[in-house]
Short mmCIF file of all heavy atoms in Angstrom, two decimals:
data_model
loop_
_atom_site.label_atom_id
_atom_site.label_comp_id
_atom_site.label_asym_id
_atom_site.label_seq_id
_atom_site.Cartn_x
_atom_site.Cartn_y
_atom_site.Cartn_z
N GLU I 7 -2.21 -7.04 7.38
CA GLU I 7 -1.79 -8.30 6.70
C GLU I 7 -1.72 -9.43 7.72
O GLU I 7 -1.21 -9.21 8.85
CB GLU I 7 -0.49 -8.11 6.02
CG GLU I 7 -0.49 -7.09 4.90
CD GLU I 7 0.84 -6.91 4.24
OE1 GLU I 7 1.86 -7.45 4.70
OE2 GLU I 7 0.92 -6.16 3.24
N ARG I 8 -2.14 -10.59 7.34
CA ARG I 8 -2.05 -11.73 8.26
C ARG I 8 -0.59 -12.16 8.47
O ARG I 8 -0.17 -12.42 9.60
CB ARG I 8 -2.84 -12.94 7.71
CG ARG I 8 -4.30 -12.71 7.83
CD ARG I 8 -5.07 -13.97 7.48
NE ARG I 8 -6.48 -13.68 7.63
CZ ARG I 8 -7.42 -14.36 7.11
NH1 ARG I 8 -7.12 -15.48 6.45
NH2 ARG I 8 -8.68 -14.05 7.26
N ALA I 9 0.18 -12.16 7.44
CA ALA I 9 1.54 -12.61 7.53
C ALA I 9 2.47 -11.53 8.17
O ALA I 9 3.53 -11.86 8.65
CB ALA I 9 2.12 -12.95 6.13
N ASN I 10 2.04 -10.31 8.12
CA ASN I 10 2.80 -9.19 8.60
C ASN I 10 1.86 -8.19 9.33
O ASN I 10 1.59 -7.11 8.81
CB ASN I 10 3.54 -8.51 7.44
CG ASN I 10 4.66 -7.62 7.89
OD1 ASN I 10 4.96 -7.55 9.05
ND2 ASN I 10 5.30 -6.96 6.92
N PRO I 11 1.37 -8.54 10.54
CA PRO I 11 0.27 -7.80 11.19
C PRO I 11 0.65 -6.37 11.60
O PRO I 11 -0.21 -5.63 12.00
CB PRO I 11 -0.08 -8.63 12.39
CG PRO I 11 1.00 -9.57 12.59
CD PRO I 11 1.74 -9.73 11.29
N GLU I 12 1.91 -5.95 11.54
CA GLU I 12 2.24 -4.59 11.92
C GLU I 12 1.98 -3.59 10.82
O GLU I 12 2.02 -2.39 11.01
CB GLU I 12 3.70 -4.48 12.43
CG GLU I 12 4.77 -4.79 11.39
CD GLU I 12 5.13 -6.27 11.33
OE1 GLU I 12 4.60 -7.05 12.10
OE2 GLU I 12 5.98 -6.58 10.48
N VAL I 13 1.61 -4.08 9.61
CA VAL I 13 1.27 -3.16 8.49
C VAL I 13 -0.10 -3.56 7.91
O VAL I 13 -0.54 -4.65 7.99
CB VAL I 13 2.35 -3.22 7.34
CG1 VAL I 13 3.70 -2.75 7.88
CG2 VAL I 13 2.47 -4.59 6.79
N PHE I 14 -0.70 -2.50 7.31
CA PHE I 14 -1.97 -2.73 6.63
C PHE I 14 -1.70 -3.26 5.23
O PHE I 14 -0.56 -3.17 4.73
CB PHE I 14 -2.76 -1.45 6.50
CG PHE I 14 -3.32 -1.03 7.88
CD1 PHE I 14 -2.55 -0.23 8.74
CD2 PHE I 14 -4.55 -1.43 8.29
CE1 PHE I 14 -3.05 0.13 9.99
CE2 PHE I 14 -5.08 -1.10 9.51
CZ PHE I 14 -4.32 -0.28 10.36
N ASN I 15 -2.67 -3.82 4.59
CA ASN I 15 -2.61 -4.49 3.31
C ASN I 15 -1.84 -3.55 2.32
O ASN I 15 -2.40 -2.63 1.77
CB ASN I 15 -3.95 -4.82 2.81
CG ASN I 15 -3.95 -5.63 1.50
OD1 ASN I 15 -3.12 -5.39 0.61
ND2 ASN I 15 -4.90 -6.51 1.35
N ARG I 16 -0.56 -3.84 2.13
CA ARG I 16 0.32 -2.99 1.33
C ARG I 16 -0.13 -2.97 -0.15
O ARG I 16 -0.03 -1.94 -0.80
CB ARG I 16 1.73 -3.46 1.41
CG ARG I 16 2.33 -3.09 2.75
CD ARG I 16 3.76 -3.62 2.85
NE ARG I 16 3.68 -5.04 3.19
CZ ARG I 16 4.66 -5.75 3.65
NH1 ARG I 16 5.81 -5.22 3.83
NH2 ARG I 16 4.53 -7.01 3.93
N LYS I 17 -0.69 -4.10 -0.65
CA LYS I 17 -1.08 -4.09 -2.07
C LYS I 17 -2.25 -3.13 -2.27
O LYS I 17 -2.27 -2.36 -3.21
CB LYS I 17 -1.50 -5.57 -2.44
CG LYS I 17 -1.97 -5.68 -3.86
CD LYS I 17 -2.41 -7.12 -4.17
CE LYS I 17 -2.94 -7.19 -5.60
NZ LYS I 17 -3.45 -8.51 -5.88
N ARG I 18 -3.24 -3.21 -1.41
CA ARG I 18 -4.41 -2.36 -1.48
C ARG I 18 -4.04 -0.88 -1.35
O ARG I 18 -4.50 -0.02 -2.07
CB ARG I 18 -5.43 -2.77 -0.43
CG ARG I 18 -6.83 -2.32 -0.73
CD ARG I 18 -7.38 -3.11 -1.90
NE ARG I 18 -8.80 -2.76 -2.06
CZ ARG I 18 -9.48 -3.06 -3.10
NH1 ARG I 18 -8.95 -3.72 -4.08
NH2 ARG I 18 -10.76 -2.73 -3.16
N ILE I 19 -3.22 -0.57 -0.36
CA ILE I 19 -2.79 0.82 -0.12
C ILE I 19 -1.94 1.35 -1.31
O ILE I 19 -2.15 2.47 -1.76
CB ILE I 19 -2.03 0.98 1.21
CG1 ILE I 19 -3.04 0.81 2.36
CG2 ILE I 19 -1.28 2.31 1.30
CD1 ILE I 19 -2.42 0.79 3.73
N ASN I 20 -1.09 0.47 -1.83
CA ASN I 20 -0.29 0.86 -2.98
C ASN I 20 -1.18 1.12 -4.20
O ASN I 20 -0.90 2.05 -4.98
CB ASN I 20 0.77 -0.24 -3.32
CG ASN I 20 1.91 0.30 -4.09
OD1 ASN I 20 2.45 1.37 -3.72
ND2 ASN I 20 2.32 -0.42 -5.11
N GLN I 21 -2.25 0.31 -4.38
CA GLN I 21 -3.16 0.53 -5.47
C GLN I 21 -3.91 1.90 -5.30
O GLN I 21 -4.06 2.67 -6.25
CB GLN I 21 -4.22 -0.54 -5.55
CG GLN I 21 -3.66 -1.86 -5.99
CD GLN I 21 -4.67 -3.00 -5.87
OE1 GLN I 21 -5.63 -2.89 -5.15
NE2 GLN I 21 -4.35 -4.12 -6.54
N LEU I 22 -4.29 2.21 -4.08
CA LEU I 22 -4.94 3.52 -3.80
C LEU I 22 -3.99 4.67 -4.09
O LEU I 22 -4.36 5.63 -4.77
CB LEU I 22 -5.35 3.55 -2.30
CG LEU I 22 -6.81 3.36 -1.96
CD1 LEU I 22 -7.02 3.38 -0.46
CD2 LEU I 22 -7.69 4.33 -2.69
N LEU I 23 -2.78 4.58 -3.54
CA LEU I 23 -1.82 5.62 -3.78
C LEU I 23 -1.46 5.72 -5.26
O LEU I 23 -1.15 6.84 -5.76
CB LEU I 23 -0.51 5.36 -2.96
CG LEU I 23 -0.67 5.49 -1.43
CD1 LEU I 23 0.64 5.00 -0.77
CD2 LEU I 23 -1.03 6.88 -1.01
N GLY I 24 -1.51 4.67 -6.01
CA GLY I 24 -1.18 4.63 -7.38
C GLY I 24 -2.14 5.42 -8.26
O GLY I 24 -1.89 5.72 -9.42
N THR I 25 -3.32 5.75 -7.72
CA THR I 25 -4.27 6.55 -8.47
C THR I 25 -3.94 8.04 -8.44
O THR I 25 -4.50 8.78 -9.15
CB THR I 25 -5.73 6.41 -7.90
OG1 THR I 25 -5.72 6.98 -6.59
CG2 THR I 25 -6.17 4.96 -7.86
N GLN I 26 -2.95 8.40 -7.62
CA GLN I 26 -2.54 9.81 -7.49
C GLN I 26 -1.23 10.03 -8.22
O GLN I 26 -0.46 9.06 -8.47
CB GLN I 26 -2.46 10.19 -6.00
CG GLN I 26 -3.69 9.84 -5.21
CD GLN I 26 -4.89 10.51 -5.81
OE1 GLN I 26 -4.91 11.69 -6.06
NE2 GLN I 26 -5.92 9.76 -6.04
N ASP I 27 -0.95 11.25 -8.51
CA ASP I 27 0.32 11.61 -9.21
C ASP I 27 1.44 11.65 -8.23
O ASP I 27 1.78 12.71 -7.67
CB ASP I 27 0.11 12.99 -9.91
CG ASP I 27 1.31 13.33 -10.79
OD1 ASP I 27 2.02 12.38 -11.23
OD2 ASP I 27 1.52 14.52 -11.04
N LEU I 28 2.01 10.48 -7.95
CA LEU I 28 3.06 10.39 -6.96
C LEU I 28 4.39 9.94 -7.66
O LEU I 28 4.32 9.12 -8.60
CB LEU I 28 2.79 9.29 -5.93
CG LEU I 28 1.91 9.69 -4.74
CD1 LEU I 28 1.61 8.42 -3.89
CD2 LEU I 28 2.56 10.70 -3.94
N LYS I 29 5.47 10.48 -7.22
CA LYS I 29 6.79 10.08 -7.72
C LYS I 29 7.08 8.64 -7.21
O LYS I 29 6.84 8.36 -6.05
CB LYS I 29 7.81 11.04 -7.25
CG LYS I 29 9.22 10.78 -7.77
CD LYS I 29 10.19 11.83 -7.26
CE LYS I 29 11.60 11.44 -7.74
NZ LYS I 29 12.56 12.34 -7.09
N ASP I 30 7.56 7.76 -8.09
CA ASP I 30 7.89 6.43 -7.69
C ASP I 30 8.92 6.49 -6.56
O ASP I 30 9.90 7.18 -6.65
CB ASP I 30 8.44 5.65 -8.87
CG ASP I 30 8.56 4.17 -8.61
OD1 ASP I 30 7.71 3.65 -7.81
OD2 ASP I 30 9.46 3.50 -9.20
N GLY I 31 8.64 5.74 -5.53
CA GLY I 31 9.56 5.68 -4.36
C GLY I 31 9.17 6.67 -3.27
O GLY I 31 9.95 6.79 -2.27
N THR I 32 8.07 7.33 -3.42
CA THR I 32 7.64 8.25 -2.37
C THR I 32 7.45 7.47 -1.06
O THR I 32 6.81 6.44 -1.09
CB THR I 32 6.31 8.97 -2.73
OG1 THR I 32 6.56 9.73 -3.93
CG2 THR I 32 5.87 9.91 -1.60
#
């Protein structure tokens, strides 16, 4: 992320993880 360069694009990663059967808050 440009505004937070220590992390990767959280929105995109969250969308990817959201395709899997994960418990909310994992």
Side-chain angles (χ1 to χ4, degrees):
E7 294 178 355
R8 287 188 181 164
N10 197 2
E12 63 273 358
V13 297
F14 289 88
N15 185 324
R16 287 177 280 196
K17 179 180 177 186
R18 201 69 173 166
I19 289 175
N20 203 45
Q21 289 171 343
L22 258 177
L23 292 172
T25 66
Q26 305 305 308
D27 187 24
L28 278 175
K29 183 179 175 187
D30 192 30
T32 299

